[in-house]
Amino acid sequence: DGGITQSPKYLFRKEGQNVTLSCEQNLNHDAMYWYRQDPGQGLRLIYYSQIVNDFQKGDIAEGYSVSREKKESFPLTVTSAQKNPTAFYLCASMRTGYNQPQHFGDGTRLSIL
Amino acid sequence: GQQLNQSPQSMFIQEGEDVSMNCTSSSIFNTWLWYKQDPGEGPVLLIALYKAGELTSNGRLTAQFGITRKDSFLNISASIPSDVGIYFCAGPQRNYGGATNKLIFGTGTLLAVQP
């Protein structure tokens, strides 16, 4: 089945540690996105990529980094510079074109130890 | 900047009741998307609307693209316990070049259904 796979489902980070969240899609979508969701809040865009080897900062990129070496993969690294990383992280992908919907993975919940 | 205002913020209803929620903006949208997020899961697309005045159904769900292109409505008929979740509206962010590949999301409506 085609879809978006995020792993792991749950992740714990120690102080000063970088952690990487995985996002893989087999939908052949060009564009991929990372969002952060805090309890009771909407979705805030961290980074997005419209094509391989290119990505742009979203609204809350500080403390995060991404790469897009393959069309299928868009990993997100939460660095030690992100002082409040506890949140639910969602990856999405989209077929580029006029007014296309985004499709989401099942999320990764990151907590601080 | 563009914003989407969703209301109500939360709803607590009895099983079998009908539900109505809406999304409004001061800006025009060419597409309205409605998503549902189950607890601990990612949002799932329910309905996509592409034309002003369009009325689209998906089972017990019906959504409408407002004629002014500044609002959209989602109705759920005969609610059941599995309708519990957060419902988000979304639309393409626009810049001077037109619609972008980024979405703006509403703040969500939390629906709780009492069996």
Side-chain angles (χ1 to χ4, degrees):
Chain A
D1 281 354
I4 302 169
T5 302
Q6 289 187 243
S7 61
K9 182 71 174 174
Y10 301 94
L11 187 58
F12 297 90
R13 196 192 90 168
K14 294 180 181 178
E15 295 277 349
Q17 187 181 46
N18 293 351
V19 291
T20 298
L21 284 60
S22 170
C23 179
E24 303 277 331
Q25 55 99 0
N26 61 5
L27 299 168
N28 200 32
H29 287 171
D30 288 308
M32 297 187 74
Y33 306 79
W34 275 105
Y35 293 91
R36 171 179 171 140
Q37 186 177 31
D38 292 286
Q41 304 290 318
L43 305 178
R44 293 188 290 169
L45 182 64
I46 304 172
Y47 267 98
Y48 65 105
S49 168
Q50 299 191 78
I51 197 167
V52 175
N53 292 323
D54 188 44
F55 49 83
Q56 288 82 38
K57 293 181 180 179
D59 301 316
I60 55 165
E62 186 174 349
Y64 300 97
S65 66
V66 293
S67 62
R68 187 85 188 277
E69 297 176 2
K70 297 187 301 181
K71 188 176 186 177
E72 302 80 19
S73 179
F74 191 41
L76 172 74
T77 297
V78 184
T79 75
S80 57
Q82 173 49 246
K83 297 306 179 189
N84 184 23
T86 298
F88 190 51
Y89 290 87
L90 287 161
C91 178
S93 72
M94 187 181 83
R95 185 192 310 276
T96 50
Y98 187 69
N99 292 334
Q100 294 292 315
Q102 290 180 13
H103 301 271
F104 287 84
D106 282 339
T108 292
R109 186 166 299 281
L110 175 62
S111 302
I112 292 293
L113 284 178
Chain B
Q2 289 176 291
Q3 280 188 317
L4 290 177
N5 302 305
Q6 260 186 271
S7 64
Q9 279 191 319
S10 59
M11 304 180 73
F12 299 89
I13 63 171
Q14 296 285 329
E15 183 176 359
E17 288 185 30
D18 296 342
V19 170
S20 185
M21 61 189 79
N22 68 71
C23 196
T24 61
S25 176
S26 58
S27 305
I28 288 173
F29 282 83
N30 290 322
T31 298
W32 287 95
L33 306 169
W34 284 95
Y35 289 88
K36 182 196 176 195
Q37 184 178 27
D38 288 332
E41 303 292 329
V44 173
L45 181 67
L46 297 174
I47 293 178
L49 302 162
Y50 297 105
K51 189 176 175 183
E54 179 182 355
L55 187 71
T56 297
S57 294
N58 178 6
R60 293 178 296 104
L61 277 62
T62 302
Q64 183 161 25
F65 193 140
I67 199 73
T68 65
R69 294 163 63 193
K70 293 183 178 182
D71 56 13
S72 179
F73 304 87
L74 177 69
N75 296 316
I76 305 172
S77 62
S79 59
I80 58 178
S82 63
D83 289 333
V84 163
I86 304 175
Y87 291 80
F88 291 101
C89 61
Q93 190 173 26
R94 297 180 68 84
N95 59 24
Y96 292 114
T100 70
N101 286 325
K102 294 194 291 182
L103 289 181
I104 297 174
F105 287 86
T107 49
T109 293
L110 173 65
L111 178 64
V113 180
Q114 175 91 17

